[in-house]
Amino acid sequence: MSPRRRRVRRPLPPTPLCASTPPPSTPSVDIPKSEAPGHRPPPARRRLPLVADAAAEAEGEWNPLPLSSADLSLPLTLPTGQTFLWRRTSVSPLRFTAAVGPHLVSLSRLPDGRVAFLLHNESPTSSVPDAHAALCDYLNAAVPLAELWRQFAAADARFAEVAVGLGGGGARVLRQDPVECVFQFLCSSNNNIARIEKMVWKLAGYGERLGEVGGFVFHQFPTIDRLARVSEQELREAGFGYRAKYVVGTARELQVKPGGGEKWLASMRTRELPEVIEALCTLPGVGPKVAACVALFSLDQNHAVPVDTHVWKVATQYLMPELAGKSITTKLSVAVADAFVTKFGSYAGWAQNVLFIGQLSAQKLMVSEDSNGTTKSSKRKHRGNNVDT
């Protein structure tokens, strides 16, 4: 049994920014009606080139998403430890590519500041409207990020300071497919970014091939049944080490869940966080930290706070100085998570994610976007690549 966690009441969800997909069952933020975002229908298909040259126009049609630069920063969201499947397929303009379900998409920014996507594999099973809806869900577009950041900054001076350093906004929490999220974080335990990405890319390769972009071959993430057919020896030979038995064991454990593993994981979106953490910790290789990551990044548990060394440092310096010098334990991790909820409320996990990024030093070079879709870089001190989970 895991330690008791603070229960957070779930009010009604906020007004969605993306009308083509239902909002997740998440706690809401009180926003003045005059500031609440309105519904938008799926955009009409039209050519929106990111750069004014014939090659860019010939590659396909760019479709806008209802997310401004304050709503979504690609470099603060996609390569910062929530997922390990996106690849940077262009530097100027900055562009990331991945499979979102059956849709192979690239994301970049339009000159007007909105994020747009390019669908690379349009087919009977992957259309622009379906990809639009899938991306709105994946990017948690229903959550009004700018308003959240204003509330967090008002509640905490440290957050306000970090927010300014990160450009004032755009670091979203994703709403990933739970199966995909579980297996990604099984690979993250006591590992570094480069090895995690290699392992996750290996797992993805067992899924259906969707296409090639920028020299990378992308696959739809495999089903639980497909992963259960992978041998532990095969994964060990691929460099998974002891994590190989956890991947195979979790796949087989999920296969026998009532209704199937996909349904069992999806049901966690409507449960209370302590129950979710306890249930996830029954899977091989899943401890409280990995469970909290999966809960936050895929199961609508927006107040889940994964406590690693980066978050511990923030907590002991700014929230709970009495813990300075102590080692991270399960009990103290729960206390830290509760302190975040007390400070930031029902979206504490989103605030923690920003503070985590403020501490993150996995990249020597942080690439950020400007309003024209070009890039600018700023050097950040390198302190190592390890991800403690």
Side-chain angles (χ1 to χ4, degrees):
M1 293 285 287
S2 58
R4 294 180 60 84
R5 300 290 301 273
R6 177 189 297 270
R7 293 180 179 268
V8 177
R9 185 179 178 184
R10 294 172 174 265
L12 294 175
T15 303
L17 291 172
C18 207
S20 62
T21 180
S25 301
T26 52
S28 64
V29 181
D30 295 327
I31 306 173
K33 292 183 179 180
S34 61
E35 297 179 19
H39 293 277
R40 294 191 185 190
R45 297 189 61 195
R46 54 193 178 115
R47 194 175 300 280
L48 292 165
L50 294 170
V51 291
D53 60 50
E57 292 192 25
E59 69 180 357
E61 297 178 2
W62 287 87
N63 302 270
L65 293 166
L67 293 165
S68 68
S69 57
D71 294 314
L72 174 63
S73 164
L74 298 177
L76 290 180
T77 300
L78 300 179
T80 51
Q82 297 186 60
T83 175
F84 305 94
L85 286 167
W86 289 84
R87 295 293 180 268
R88 185 175 292 138
T89 50
S90 174
V91 174
S92 183
L94 186 60
R95 187 176 302 174
F96 291 89
T97 303
V100 177
H103 314 291
L104 177 56
V105 294
S106 289
L107 292 176
S108 195
R109 189 168 299 287
L110 299 174
D112 64 8
R114 288 178 298 170
V115 171
F117 74 93
L118 172 64
L119 178 63
H120 295 281
N121 65 328
E122 188 168 4
S123 68
T125 58
S126 180
S127 65
V128 169
D130 288 344
H132 180 274
L135 279 166
C136 283
D137 183 71
Y138 181 88
L139 295 170
N140 246 327
V143 178
L145 187 65
E147 175 60 23
L148 275 183
W149 277 46
R150 282 193 291 270
Q151 294 185 14
F152 295 156
D156 183 64
R158 172 60 181 167
F159 184 95
E161 177 185 351
V162 171
V164 171
L166 294 178
R172 301 191 72 82
V173 166
L174 300 173
R175 189 177 193 251
Q176 301 175 64
D177 174 79
V179 173
E180 182 177 302
C181 194
V182 165
F183 286 97
Q184 287 193 79
F185 278 95
L186 280 176
C187 297
S188 73
S189 180
N190 297 315
N191 212 343
N192 62 64
I193 296 295
R195 289 189 66 211
I196 297 169
E197 289 183 345
K198 183 179 179 180
M199 292 177 187
V200 172
W201 199 252
K202 172 69 175 178
L203 293 183
Y206 290 110
E208 179 185 351
R209 187 184 191 277
L210 297 180
E212 182 176 346
V213 180
F216 298 100
V217 177
F218 294 88
H219 298 77
Q220 181 175 355
F221 201 82
T223 63
I224 292 171
D225 289 343
R226 177 66 185 92
L227 290 172
R229 297 199 300 271
V230 180
S231 71
E232 180 180 335
Q233 182 61 31
E234 182 178 351
L235 293 180
R236 285 188 177 275
E237 291 175 357
F240 279 65
Y242 67 88
R243 302 168 195 84
K245 65 180 179 181
Y246 295 148
V247 170
V248 173
T250 289
R252 293 173 180 171
E253 189 77 21
L254 288 172
Q255 276 185 309
V256 299
K257 293 295 184 184
E262 292 88 351
K263 182 177 180 180
W264 182 77
L265 286 171
S267 72
M268 303 291 172
R269 288 176 166 169
T270 60
R271 300 185 186 181
E272 295 293 335
L273 179 58
E275 184 182 1
V276 171
I277 298 296
E278 184 175 358
L280 290 174
C281 285
T282 64
L283 298 174
V286 176
K289 166 64 191 310
V290 167
C293 288
V294 174
L296 176 61
F297 300 137
S298 71
L299 297 177
D300 296 343
Q301 302 290 336
N302 293 308
H303 57 293
V305 177
V307 179
D308 68 352
T309 55
H310 301 286
V311 175
W312 179 262
K313 183 176 181 180
V314 172
T316 55
Q317 287 182 341
Y318 302 102
L319 291 178
M320 306 178 74
E322 66 275 14
L323 298 183
K326 295 185 178 181
S327 300
I328 302 176
T329 65
T330 299
K331 183 177 180 180
L332 290 181
S333 293
V334 171
V336 167
D338 286 346
F340 271 88
V341 172
T342 299
K343 171 71 72 173
F344 296 107
S346 58
Y347 277 76
W350 289 59
Q352 169 273 152
N353 186 57
V354 174
L355 295 173
F356 168 82
I357 294 171
Q359 293 283 335
L360 191 64
S361 55
Q363 298 165 312
K364 290 184 180 179
L365 192 66
M366 189 69 179
V367 180
S368 60
E369 304 156 302
D370 65 24
S371 59
N372 295 317
T374 57
T375 63
K376 53 187 177 180
S377 60
S378 58
K379 292 184 179 180
R380 304 181 70 180
K381 186 176 180 182
H382 180 62
R383 301 176 189 166
N385 289 342
N386 286 342
V387 176
D388 303 294
T389 56

